[in-house]
Amino acid sequence: MSEPHSATISVLVRNAPGVLVRVAGLIRRRGINIHSLSVGPTEDPSTSRMTIVVDTAPERTELFAKQLRKLVEVLRATAIDGTPSVDRELALIKVNVTSGTRMEIMEIASVFRANIVDLTDRTMTIEVTGRTEKVDAMLTLLTRHGIREMARTGQVTLVRGPQNT
């Protein structure tokens, strides 16, 4: 068996109470670590899309998707590994600022095409959207200024082109 890696699985589910618990329960029973999980409604209000990033061996990713398809509430489960896709994550990062560091932090935000969504005399809240690696790189640069709080959405993914995710 190969080393664990991050695998992305897109799951289209019925928008009903308890579905998230059933999906998470299946993942828990397999002993798989969830790296990120995002859920939201789709263009059809009766369905929701879950994007699940798990740490598992590559050969187990498709097997895991097949196991998810057996749940009654799951309409479709697709392993995204290797498929051209668009991946994004949103993070809100509140960082300490002083009059001496404000411009440097604004330059970092500019390089990452992030938005400053709140500013006080002691803090700045920055909104950044992009691939997980981009968010991680920005966090690395902001760490030395003191990150006070952070909220991340987790990855969302759609397959490129006309193919359904």
Side-chain angles (χ1 to χ4, degrees):
M1 183 178 285
S2 56
E3 292 292 317
H5 81 298
S6 290
T8 303
I9 300 171
S10 177
V11 186
L12 192 65
V13 299
R14 295 187 201 291
N15 194 358
V19 174
L20 177 60
V21 171
R22 292 200 49 161
V23 169
L26 186 143
I27 296 169
R28 181 189 55 80
R29 288 190 300 275
R30 302 297 181 273
I32 296 172
N33 183 44
I34 297 174
H35 184 73
S36 79
L37 171 67
S38 63
V39 184
T42 66
E43 68 283 359
D44 175 359
S46 69
T47 63
S48 291
R49 181 177 309 282
M50 295 181 179
T51 303
I52 306 169
V53 179
V54 294
D55 295 330
T56 187
E59 64 273 9
R60 292 187 63 198
T61 306
E62 183 56 37
L63 176 65
F64 183 56
K66 287 179 182 175
Q67 291 170 340
L68 286 168
R69 290 181 203 126
K70 293 178 182 175
L71 295 175
V72 172
E73 299 88 350
V74 172
L75 305 172
R76 186 172 50 231
T78 307
I80 305 293
D81 283 0
T83 305
S85 61
V86 178
D87 309 313
R88 293 292 182 268
E89 182 175 351
L90 179 136
L92 292 174
I93 307 160
K94 187 184 297 182
V95 62
N96 294 321
V97 294
T98 64
S99 59
T101 63
R102 184 170 290 121
M103 287 307 296
E104 181 182 350
I105 294 170
M106 290 172 79
E107 287 175 15
I108 292 170
S110 175
V111 166
F112 286 90
R113 287 185 252 165
N115 298 313
I116 298 164
V117 293
D118 187 51
L119 179 63
T120 69
D121 60 336
R122 296 181 13 207
T123 65
M124 183 182 300
T125 301
I126 303 167
E127 169 194 279
V128 61
T129 304
R131 295 184 58 93
T132 300
E133 297 84 5
K134 175 183 174 181
V135 175
D136 290 341
M138 186 169 179
L139 283 171
T140 299
L141 291 175
L142 292 175
T143 297
R144 69 175 169 205
H145 297 289
I147 295 173
R148 295 172 67 103
E149 288 185 287
M150 179 178 65
R152 293 175 79 157
T153 61
Q155 179 180 313
V156 293
T157 301
L158 285 179
V159 170
R160 290 185 180 271
Q163 178 184 353
N164 287 337
T165 304

